[in-house]
PDB file of all heavy atoms in Angstrom:
ATOM      1  N   ILE A   1       0.855  -1.202  -0.010  1.00 98.00           N
ATOM      2  CA  ILE A   1       0.017   0.004  -0.007  1.00 98.00           C
ATOM      3  C   ILE A   1       0.892   1.185   0.006  1.00 98.00           C
ATOM      4  O   ILE A   1       1.722   1.352   0.891  1.00 98.00           O
ATOM      5  CB  ILE A   1      -0.905   0.027   1.192  1.00 98.00           C
ATOM      6  CG1 ILE A   1      -1.809  -1.239   1.323  1.00 98.00           C
ATOM      7  CG2 ILE A   1      -1.789   1.278   1.186  1.00 98.00           C
ATOM      8  CD1 ILE A   1      -2.723  -1.261   2.495  1.00 98.00           C
ATOM      9  N   ASN A   2       0.759   2.054  -1.034  1.00 98.00           N
ATOM     10  CA  ASN A   2       1.548   3.307  -1.056  1.00 98.00           C
ATOM     11  C   ASN A   2       0.708   4.534  -1.018  1.00 98.00           C
ATOM     12  O   ASN A   2      -0.447   4.522  -1.252  1.00 98.00           O
ATOM     13  CB  ASN A   2       2.441   3.234  -2.348  1.00 98.00           C
ATOM     14  CG  ASN A   2       1.703   3.623  -3.626  1.00 98.00           C
ATOM     15  OD1 ASN A   2       1.379   4.789  -3.896  1.00 98.00           O
ATOM     16  ND2 ASN A   2       1.403   2.642  -4.444  1.00 98.00           N
ATOM     17  N   SER A   3       1.392   5.661  -0.639  1.00 97.00           N
ATOM     18  CA  SER A   3       0.682   6.928  -0.669  1.00 97.00           C
ATOM     19  C   SER A   3       1.655   8.038  -1.054  1.00 97.00           C
ATOM     20  O   SER A   3       2.844   7.988  -0.747  1.00 97.00           O
ATOM     21  CB  SER A   3       0.093   7.206   0.704  1.00 97.00           C
ATOM     22  OG  SER A   3      -0.716   8.374   0.707  1.00 97.00           O
ATOM     23  N   ASP A   4       1.111   9.014  -1.794  1.00 97.00           N
ATOM     24  CA  ASP A   4       1.917  10.210  -2.175  1.00 97.00           C
ATOM     25  C   ASP A   4       1.905  11.175  -1.019  1.00 97.00           C
ATOM     26  O   ASP A   4       0.889  11.792  -0.707  1.00 97.00           O
ATOM     27  CB  ASP A   4       1.300  10.877  -3.377  1.00 97.00           C
ATOM     28  CG  ASP A   4       1.068   9.920  -4.578  1.00 97.00           C
ATOM     29  OD1 ASP A   4       1.785   8.902  -4.615  1.00 97.00           O
ATOM     30  OD2 ASP A   4       0.222  10.171  -5.411  1.00 97.00           O
ATOM     31  N   LEU A   5       3.090  11.365  -0.398  1.00 97.00           N
ATOM     32  CA  LEU A   5       3.186  12.189   0.823  1.00 97.00           C
ATOM     33  C   LEU A   5       4.257  13.256   0.696  1.00 97.00           C
ATOM     34  O   LEU A   5       4.896  13.366  -0.400  1.00 97.00           O
ATOM     35  CB  LEU A   5       3.482  11.262   2.020  1.00 97.00           C
ATOM     36  CG  LEU A   5       2.422  10.152   2.269  1.00 97.00           C
ATOM     37  CD1 LEU A   5       2.834   9.290   3.500  1.00 97.00           C
ATOM     38  CD2 LEU A   5       1.052  10.733   2.520  1.00 97.00           C
ATOM     39  N   GLY A   6       4.401  14.016   1.748  1.00 97.00           N
ATOM     40  CA  GLY A   6       5.248  15.156   1.709  1.00 97.00           C
ATOM     41  C   GLY A   6       4.795  16.288   0.775  1.00 97.00           C
ATOM     42  O   GLY A   6       5.555  17.024   0.196  1.00 97.00           O
ATOM     43  N   GLU A   7       3.482  16.309   0.605  1.00 96.00           N
ATOM     44  CA  GLU A   7       2.864  17.321  -0.298  1.00 96.00           C
ATOM     45  C   GLU A   7       2.130  18.431   0.388  1.00 96.00           C
ATOM     46  O   GLU A   7       1.387  19.158  -0.200  1.00 96.00           O
ATOM     47  CB  GLU A   7       1.919  16.563  -1.281  1.00 96.00           C
ATOM     48  CG  GLU A   7       2.603  15.601  -2.205  1.00 96.00           C
ATOM     49  CD  GLU A   7       1.718  14.871  -3.210  1.00 96.00           C
ATOM     50  OE1 GLU A   7       0.577  14.631  -2.825  1.00 96.00           O
ATOM     51  OE2 GLU A   7       2.162  14.639  -4.328  1.00 96.00           O
ATOM     52  N   GLY A   8       2.344  18.559   1.672  1.00 94.00           N
ATOM     53  CA  GLY A   8       1.800  19.700   2.372  1.00 94.00           C
ATOM     54  C   GLY A   8       0.379  19.608   2.899  1.00 94.00           C
ATOM     55  O   GLY A   8      -0.221  20.595   3.291  1.00 94.00           O
ATOM     56  N   TYR A   9      -0.200  18.406   2.956  1.00 95.00           N
ATOM     57  CA  TYR A   9      -1.590  18.202   3.372  1.00 95.00           C
ATOM     58  C   TYR A   9      -1.747  18.040   4.880  1.00 95.00           C
ATOM     59  O   TYR A   9      -2.878  18.000   5.404  1.00 95.00           O
ATOM     60  CB  TYR A   9      -2.255  17.117   2.597  1.00 95.00           C
ATOM     61  CG  TYR A   9      -2.448  17.441   1.124  1.00 95.00           C
ATOM     62  CD1 TYR A   9      -1.577  16.865   0.149  1.00 95.00           C
ATOM     63  CD2 TYR A   9      -3.428  18.330   0.750  1.00 95.00           C
ATOM     64  CE1 TYR A   9      -1.748  17.230  -1.184  1.00 95.00           C
ATOM     65  CE2 TYR A   9      -3.568  18.714  -0.602  1.00 95.00           C
ATOM     66  CZ  TYR A   9      -2.737  18.129  -1.523  1.00 95.00           C
ATOM     67  OH  TYR A   9      -2.841  18.463  -2.877  1.00 95.00           O
ATOM     68  N   GLY A  10      -0.626  17.796   5.582  1.00 94.00           N
ATOM     69  CA  GLY A  10      -0.644  17.761   6.994  1.00 94.00           C
ATOM     70  C   GLY A  10      -1.173  16.416   7.582  1.00 94.00           C
ATOM     71  O   GLY A  10      -1.446  16.363   8.785  1.00 94.00           O
ATOM     72  N   ASN A  11      -1.332  15.437   6.761  1.00 96.00           N
ATOM     73  CA  ASN A  11      -1.882  14.149   7.256  1.00 96.00           C
ATOM     74  C   ASN A  11      -0.960  12.966   7.168  1.00 96.00           C
ATOM     75  O   ASN A  11      -1.314  11.836   7.423  1.00 96.00           O
ATOM     76  CB  ASN A  11      -3.210  13.812   6.496  1.00 96.00           C
ATOM     77  CG  ASN A  11      -2.994  13.767   4.998  1.00 96.00           C
ATOM     78  OD1 ASN A  11      -1.849  13.828   4.469  1.00 96.00           O
ATOM     79  ND2 ASN A  11      -4.079  13.602   4.266  1.00 96.00           N
ATOM     80  N   ASP A  12       0.328  13.275   6.828  1.00 97.00           N
ATOM     81  CA  ASP A  12       1.330  12.213   6.668  1.00 97.00           C
ATOM     82  C   ASP A  12       1.427  11.330   7.872  1.00 97.00           C
ATOM     83  O   ASP A  12       1.488  10.063   7.756  1.00 97.00           O
ATOM     84  CB  ASP A  12       2.657  12.757   6.313  1.00 97.00           C
ATOM     85  CG  ASP A  12       2.733  13.483   4.946  1.00 97.00           C
ATOM     86  OD1 ASP A  12       1.648  13.638   4.343  1.00 97.00           O
ATOM     87  OD2 ASP A  12       3.801  13.843   4.505  1.00 97.00           O
ATOM     88  N   ALA A  13       1.547  11.879   9.059  1.00 98.00           N
ATOM     89  CA  ALA A  13       1.767  11.093  10.294  1.00 98.00           C
ATOM     90  C   ALA A  13       0.553  10.211  10.588  1.00 98.00           C
ATOM     91  O   ALA A  13       0.741   9.098  11.125  1.00 98.00           O
ATOM     92  CB  ALA A  13       1.954  12.021  11.477  1.00 98.00           C
ATOM     93  N   ASP A  14      -0.652  10.628  10.123  1.00 97.00           N
ATOM     94  CA  ASP A  14      -1.831   9.780  10.309  1.00 97.00           C
ATOM     95  C   ASP A  14      -1.972   8.617   9.333  1.00 97.00           C
ATOM     96  O   ASP A  14      -2.551   7.581   9.578  1.00 97.00           O
ATOM     97  CB  ASP A  14      -3.078  10.637  10.271  1.00 97.00           C
ATOM     98  CG  ASP A  14      -3.122  11.600  11.455  1.00 97.00           C
ATOM     99  OD1 ASP A  14      -2.942  11.212  12.596  1.00 97.00           O
ATOM    100  OD2 ASP A  14      -3.369  12.819  11.198  1.00 97.00           O
ATOM    101  N   ILE A  15      -1.404   8.846   8.135  1.00 97.00           N
ATOM    102  CA  ILE A  15      -1.497   7.848   7.063  1.00 97.00           C
ATOM    103  C   ILE A  15      -0.327   6.796   7.160  1.00 97.00           C
ATOM    104  O   ILE A  15      -0.586   5.598   6.930  1.00 97.00           O
ATOM    105  CB  ILE A  15      -1.433   8.524   5.685  1.00 97.00           C
ATOM    106  CG1 ILE A  15      -2.690   9.348   5.430  1.00 97.00           C
ATOM    107  CG2 ILE A  15      -1.276   7.509   4.545  1.00 97.00           C
ATOM    108  CD1 ILE A  15      -2.646  10.185   4.199  1.00 97.00           C
ATOM    109  N   MET A  16       0.811   7.199   7.592  1.00 97.00           N
ATOM    110  CA  MET A  16       1.968   6.361   7.582  1.00 97.00           C
ATOM    111  C   MET A  16       1.769   4.981   8.252  1.00 97.00           C
ATOM    112  O   MET A  16       2.291   3.965   7.758  1.00 97.00           O
ATOM    113  CB  MET A  16       3.145   7.059   8.251  1.00 97.00           C
ATOM    114  CG  MET A  16       3.883   7.999   7.347  1.00 97.00           C
ATOM    115  SD  MET A  16       4.998   7.229   6.218  1.00 97.00           S
ATOM    116  CE  MET A  16       5.895   8.665   5.550  1.00 97.00           C
ATOM    117  N   PRO A  17       1.138   4.916   9.389  1.00 98.00           N
ATOM    118  CA  PRO A  17       0.963   3.570  10.060  1.00 98.00           C
ATOM    119  C   PRO A  17       0.187   2.562   9.268  1.00 98.00           C
ATOM    120  O   PRO A  17       0.203   1.338   9.574  1.00 98.00           O
ATOM    121  CB  PRO A  17       0.225   3.886  11.367  1.00 98.00           C
ATOM    122  CG  PRO A  17       0.447   5.369  11.583  1.00 98.00           C
ATOM    123  CD  PRO A  17       0.491   5.952  10.253  1.00 98.00           C
ATOM    124  N   PHE A  18      -0.508   3.013   8.210  1.00 98.00           N
ATOM    125  CA  PHE A  18      -1.411   2.084   7.471  1.00 98.00           C
ATOM    126  C   PHE A  18      -0.911   1.826   6.056  1.00 98.00           C
ATOM    127  O   PHE A  18      -1.691   1.331   5.177  1.00 98.00           O
ATOM    128  CB  PHE A  18      -2.838   2.654   7.464  1.00 98.00           C
ATOM    129  CG  PHE A  18      -3.343   2.903   8.838  1.00 98.00           C
ATOM    130  CD1 PHE A  18      -3.328   4.230   9.371  1.00 98.00           C
ATOM    131  CD2 PHE A  18      -3.719   1.836   9.670  1.00 98.00           C
ATOM    132  CE1 PHE A  18      -3.780   4.458  10.629  1.00 98.00           C
ATOM    133  CE2 PHE A  18      -4.186   2.110  10.980  1.00 98.00           C
ATOM    134  CZ  PHE A  18      -4.181   3.387  11.498  1.00 98.00           C
ATOM    135  N   ILE A  19       0.340   2.204   5.735  1.00 98.00           N
ATOM    136  CA  ILE A  19       0.888   1.999   4.398  1.00 98.00           C
ATOM    137  C   ILE A  19       2.204   1.207   4.542  1.00 98.00           C
ATOM    138  O   ILE A  19       2.761   1.089   5.641  1.00 98.00           O
ATOM    139  CB  ILE A  19       1.080   3.268   3.580  1.00 98.00           C
ATOM    140  CG1 ILE A  19       2.069   4.215   4.316  1.00 98.00           C
ATOM    141  CG2 ILE A  19      -0.292   3.976   3.439  1.00 98.00           C
ATOM    142  CD1 ILE A  19       2.431   5.463   3.569  1.00 98.00           C
ATOM    143  N   SER A  20       2.754   0.731   3.430  1.00 98.00           N
ATOM    144  CA  SER A  20       4.017   0.035   3.422  1.00 98.00           C
ATOM    145  C   SER A  20       5.111   0.683   2.568  1.00 98.00           C
ATOM    146  O   SER A  20       6.267   0.374   2.637  1.00 98.00           O
ATOM    147  CB  SER A  20       3.889  -1.397   3.039  1.00 98.00           C
ATOM    148  OG  SER A  20       3.088  -1.539   1.867  1.00 98.00           O
ATOM    149  N   SER A  21       4.691   1.704   1.769  1.00 98.00           N
ATOM    150  CA  SER A  21       5.679   2.489   1.035  1.00 98.00           C
ATOM    151  C   SER A  21       5.059   3.874   0.811  1.00 98.00           C
ATOM    152  O   SER A  21       3.874   4.085   0.677  1.00 98.00           O
ATOM    153  CB  SER A  21       6.027   1.824  -0.313  1.00 98.00           C
ATOM    154  OG  SER A  21       4.980   1.749  -1.187  1.00 98.00           O
ATOM    155  N   CYS A  22       5.991   4.852   0.721  1.00 98.00           N
ATOM    156  CA  CYS A  22       5.576   6.243   0.499  1.00 98.00           C
ATOM    157  C   CYS A  22       6.354   6.831  -0.657  1.00 98.00           C
ATOM    158  O   CYS A  22       7.493   6.479  -0.884  1.00 98.00           O
ATOM    159  CB  CYS A  22       5.716   7.089   1.795  1.00 98.00           C
ATOM    160  SG  CYS A  22       7.444   7.381   2.290  1.00 98.00           S
ATOM    161  N   ASN A  23       5.665   7.708  -1.379  1.00 98.00           N
ATOM    162  CA  ASN A  23       6.227   8.430  -2.552  1.00 98.00           C
ATOM    163  C   ASN A  23       6.373   9.876  -2.135  1.00 98.00           C
ATOM    164  O   ASN A  23       5.414  10.563  -1.993  1.00 98.00           O
ATOM    165  CB  ASN A  23       5.322   8.271  -3.728  1.00 98.00           C
ATOM    166  CG  ASN A  23       4.643   6.895  -3.781  1.00 98.00           C
ATOM    167  OD1 ASN A  23       5.283   5.848  -3.721  1.00 98.00           O
ATOM    168  ND2 ASN A  23       3.278   6.865  -3.821  1.00 98.00           N
ATOM    169  N   ILE A  24       7.600  10.296  -1.975  1.00 98.00           N
ATOM    170  CA  ILE A  24       7.887  11.609  -1.391  1.00 98.00           C
ATOM    171  C   ILE A  24       8.089  12.690  -2.459  1.00 98.00           C
ATOM    172  O   ILE A  24       8.977  12.564  -3.369  1.00 98.00           O
ATOM    173  CB  ILE A  24       9.133  11.568  -0.480  1.00 98.00           C
ATOM    174  CG1 ILE A  24       8.952  10.486   0.597  1.00 98.00           C
ATOM    175  CG2 ILE A  24       9.451  12.901   0.122  1.00 98.00           C
ATOM    176  CD1 ILE A  24      10.141  10.261   1.509  1.00 98.00           C
ATOM    177  N   ALA A  25       7.285  13.700  -2.387  1.00 98.00           N
ATOM    178  CA  ALA A  25       7.398  14.873  -3.305  1.00 98.00           C
ATOM    179  C   ALA A  25       8.809  15.475  -3.135  1.00 98.00           C
ATOM    180  O   ALA A  25       9.260  15.744  -2.036  1.00 98.00           O
ATOM    181  CB  ALA A  25       6.369  15.958  -2.969  1.00 98.00           C
ATOM    182  N   CYS A  26       9.507  15.600  -4.253  1.00 97.00           N
ATOM    183  CA  CYS A  26      10.912  15.965  -4.185  1.00 97.00           C
ATOM    184  C   CYS A  26      11.297  17.265  -4.844  1.00 97.00           C
ATOM    185  O   CYS A  26      12.420  17.414  -5.405  1.00 97.00           O
ATOM    186  CB  CYS A  26      11.821  14.789  -4.678  1.00 97.00           C
ATOM    187  SG  CYS A  26      11.150  13.827  -6.072  1.00 97.00           S
ATOM    188  N   GLY A  27      10.405  18.196  -4.864  1.00 97.00           N
ATOM    189  CA  GLY A  27      10.715  19.554  -5.289  1.00 97.00           C
ATOM    190  C   GLY A  27      10.163  19.949  -6.646  1.00 97.00           C
ATOM    191  O   GLY A  27      10.204  21.134  -7.015  1.00 97.00           O
ATOM    192  N   GLY A  28       9.702  18.982  -7.409  1.00 98.00           N
ATOM    193  CA  GLY A  28       9.198  19.371  -8.753  1.00 98.00           C
ATOM    194  C   GLY A  28       7.837  19.997  -8.697  1.00 98.00           C
ATOM    195  O   GLY A  28       7.700  21.125  -9.153  1.00 98.00           O
ATOM    196  N   HIS A  29       6.872  19.295  -8.060  1.00 98.00           N
ATOM    197  CA  HIS A  29       5.536  19.850  -7.938  1.00 98.00           C
ATOM    198  C   HIS A  29       5.311  20.399  -6.545  1.00 98.00           C
ATOM    199  O   HIS A  29       4.419  21.264  -6.277  1.00 98.00           O
ATOM    200  CB  HIS A  29       4.465  18.788  -8.245  1.00 98.00           C
ATOM    201  CG  HIS A  29       4.442  17.634  -7.304  1.00 98.00           C
ATOM    202  ND1 HIS A  29       5.415  16.710  -7.286  1.00 98.00           N
ATOM    203  CD2 HIS A  29       3.561  17.258  -6.334  1.00 98.00           C
ATOM    204  CE1 HIS A  29       5.152  15.763  -6.327  1.00 98.00           C
ATOM    205  NE2 HIS A  29       3.968  16.098  -5.803  1.00 98.00           N
ATOM    206  N   PHE A  30       6.083  19.904  -5.512  1.00 98.00           N
ATOM    207  CA  PHE A  30       6.004  20.364  -4.177  1.00 98.00           C
ATOM    208  C   PHE A  30       7.214  19.858  -3.432  1.00 98.00           C
ATOM    209  O   PHE A  30       7.861  18.846  -3.868  1.00 98.00           O
ATOM    210  CB  PHE A  30       4.729  19.827  -3.487  1.00 98.00           C
ATOM    211  CG  PHE A  30       4.439  20.488  -2.150  1.00 98.00           C
ATOM    212  CD1 PHE A  30       3.655  21.677  -2.075  1.00 98.00           C
ATOM    213  CD2 PHE A  30       4.955  19.979  -0.952  1.00 98.00           C
ATOM    214  CE1 PHE A  30       3.405  22.252  -0.873  1.00 98.00           C
ATOM    215  CE2 PHE A  30       4.739  20.579   0.247  1.00 98.00           C
ATOM    216  CZ  PHE A  30       3.958  21.762   0.269  1.00 98.00           C
ATOM    217  N   GLY A  31       7.626  20.473  -2.349  1.00 97.00           N
ATOM    218  CA  GLY A  31       8.606  19.961  -1.495  1.00 97.00           C
ATOM    219  C   GLY A  31       9.868  20.794  -1.392  1.00 97.00           C
ATOM    220  O   GLY A  31      10.310  21.412  -2.354  1.00 97.00           O
ATOM    221  N   THR A  32      10.439  20.755  -0.174  1.00 97.00           N
ATOM    222  CA  THR A  32      11.715  21.394   0.105  1.00 97.00           C
ATOM    223  C   THR A  32      12.527  20.314   0.842  1.00 97.00           C
ATOM    224  O   THR A  32      12.083  19.284   1.202  1.00 97.00           O
ATOM    225  CB  THR A  32      11.513  22.604   1.055  1.00 97.00           C
ATOM    226  OG1 THR A  32      10.967  22.114   2.351  1.00 97.00           O
ATOM    227  CG2 THR A  32      10.573  23.602   0.464  1.00 97.00           C
ATOM    228  N   ARG A  33      13.809  20.619   1.075  1.00 97.00           N
ATOM    229  CA  ARG A  33      14.652  19.681   1.805  1.00 97.00           C
ATOM    230  C   ARG A  33      14.105  19.445   3.198  1.00 97.00           C
ATOM    231  O   ARG A  33      14.178  18.296   3.702  1.00 97.00           O
ATOM    232  CB  ARG A  33      16.040  20.269   1.919  1.00 97.00           C
ATOM    233  CG  ARG A  33      16.822  20.359   0.584  1.00 97.00           C
ATOM    234  CD  ARG A  33      18.291  20.724   0.750  1.00 97.00           C
ATOM    235  NE  ARG A  33      19.056  19.620   1.312  1.00 97.00           N
ATOM    236  CZ  ARG A  33      19.585  18.590   0.523  1.00 97.00           C
ATOM    237  NH1 ARG A  33      19.432  18.647  -0.814  1.00 97.00           N
ATOM    238  NH2 ARG A  33      20.232  17.637   1.097  1.00 97.00           N
ATOM    239  N   GLN A  34      13.435  20.396   3.751  1.00 98.00           N
ATOM    240  CA  GLN A  34      12.857  20.226   5.093  1.00 98.00           C
ATOM    241  C   GLN A  34      11.654  19.233   5.047  1.00 98.00           C
ATOM    242  O   GLN A  34      11.535  18.336   5.895  1.00 98.00           O
ATOM    243  CB  GLN A  34      12.414  21.578   5.689  1.00 98.00           C
ATOM    244  CG  GLN A  34      11.865  21.439   7.093  1.00 98.00           C
ATOM    245  CD  GLN A  34      12.801  20.928   8.126  1.00 98.00           C
ATOM    246  OE1 GLN A  34      14.006  21.106   7.985  1.00 98.00           O
ATOM    247  NE2 GLN A  34      12.263  20.179   9.139  1.00 98.00           N
ATOM    248  N   THR A  35      10.746  19.444   4.073  1.00 98.00           N
ATOM    249  CA  THR A  35       9.603  18.574   4.003  1.00 98.00           C
ATOM    250  C   THR A  35      10.064  17.128   3.648  1.00 98.00           C
ATOM    251  O   THR A  35       9.417  16.133   4.112  1.00 98.00           O
ATOM    252  CB  THR A  35       8.574  19.023   2.995  1.00 98.00           C
ATOM    253  OG1 THR A  35       9.134  19.076   1.669  1.00 98.00           O
ATOM    254  CG2 THR A  35       8.018  20.398   3.330  1.00 98.00           C
ATOM    255  N   ILE A  36      11.077  17.027   2.800  1.00 98.00           N
ATOM    256  CA  ILE A  36      11.558  15.672   2.453  1.00 98.00           C
ATOM    257  C   ILE A  36      12.148  15.010   3.659  1.00 98.00           C
ATOM    258  O   ILE A  36      11.901  13.814   3.923  1.00 98.00           O
ATOM    259  CB  ILE A  36      12.651  15.821   1.364  1.00 98.00           C
ATOM    260  CG1 ILE A  36      12.001  16.270   0.009  1.00 98.00           C
ATOM    261  CG2 ILE A  36      13.332  14.476   1.097  1.00 98.00           C
ATOM    262  CD1 ILE A  36      12.948  16.665  -1.067  1.00 98.00           C
ATOM    263  N   LYS A  37      12.932  15.743   4.453  1.00 98.00           N
ATOM    264  CA  LYS A  37      13.533  15.202   5.673  1.00 98.00           C
ATOM    265  C   LYS A  37      12.471  14.729   6.652  1.00 98.00           C
ATOM    266  O   LYS A  37      12.549  13.633   7.248  1.00 98.00           O
ATOM    267  CB  LYS A  37      14.409  16.305   6.343  1.00 98.00           C
ATOM    268  CG  LYS A  37      15.008  15.799   7.727  1.00 98.00           C
ATOM    269  CD  LYS A  37      15.741  16.919   8.407  1.00 98.00           C
ATOM    270  CE  LYS A  37      16.287  16.469   9.794  1.00 98.00           C
ATOM    271  NZ  LYS A  37      15.220  16.017  10.705  1.00 98.00           N
ATOM    272  N   GLU A  38      11.414  15.563   6.837  1.00 98.00           N
ATOM    273  CA  GLU A  38      10.371  15.225   7.788  1.00 98.00           C
ATOM    274  C   GLU A  38       9.640  13.946   7.303  1.00 98.00           C
ATOM    275  O   GLU A  38       9.259  13.096   8.152  1.00 98.00           O
ATOM    276  CB  GLU A  38       9.403  16.366   7.890  1.00 98.00           C
ATOM    277  CG  GLU A  38       9.991  17.607   8.583  1.00 98.00           C
ATOM    278  CD  GLU A  38       9.117  18.827   8.519  1.00 98.00           C
ATOM    279  OE1 GLU A  38       8.001  18.728   7.814  1.00 98.00           O
ATOM    280  OE2 GLU A  38       9.394  19.875   9.093  1.00 98.00           O
ATOM    281  N   THR A  39       9.397  13.825   6.001  1.00 98.00           N
ATOM    282  CA  THR A  39       8.697  12.624   5.504  1.00 98.00           C
ATOM    283  C   THR A  39       9.541  11.407   5.651  1.00 98.00           C
ATOM    284  O   THR A  39       9.063  10.341   6.006  1.00 98.00           O
ATOM    285  CB  THR A  39       8.261  12.876   4.054  1.00 98.00           C
ATOM    286  OG1 THR A  39       7.656  14.135   3.902  1.00 98.00           O
ATOM    287  CG2 THR A  39       7.241  11.801   3.606  1.00 98.00           C
TER     288      THR A  39
END
């Protein structure tokens, strides 16, 4: 189960326990080094 995260919606911490892989926004459409680190 994957989810597109690090996109600024504020729900990453609530979704993470229920997935097995995450797709981290890496600056193209959204994201900074800080949001990437947090994710």
Side-chain angles (χ1 to χ4, degrees):
I1 303 178
N2 78 76
S3 189
D4 306 336
L5 300 179
E7 294 183 326
Y9 292 104
N11 55 7
D12 292 9
D14 294 311
I15 293 173
M16 279 282 190
F18 305 101
I19 62 175
S20 46
S21 65
C22 65
N23 323 306
I24 302 176
C26 36
H29 65 290
F30 192 90
T32 63
R33 294 189 72 86
Q34 182 60 31
T35 61
I36 293 168
K37 176 186 178 299
E38 290 171 357
T39 313

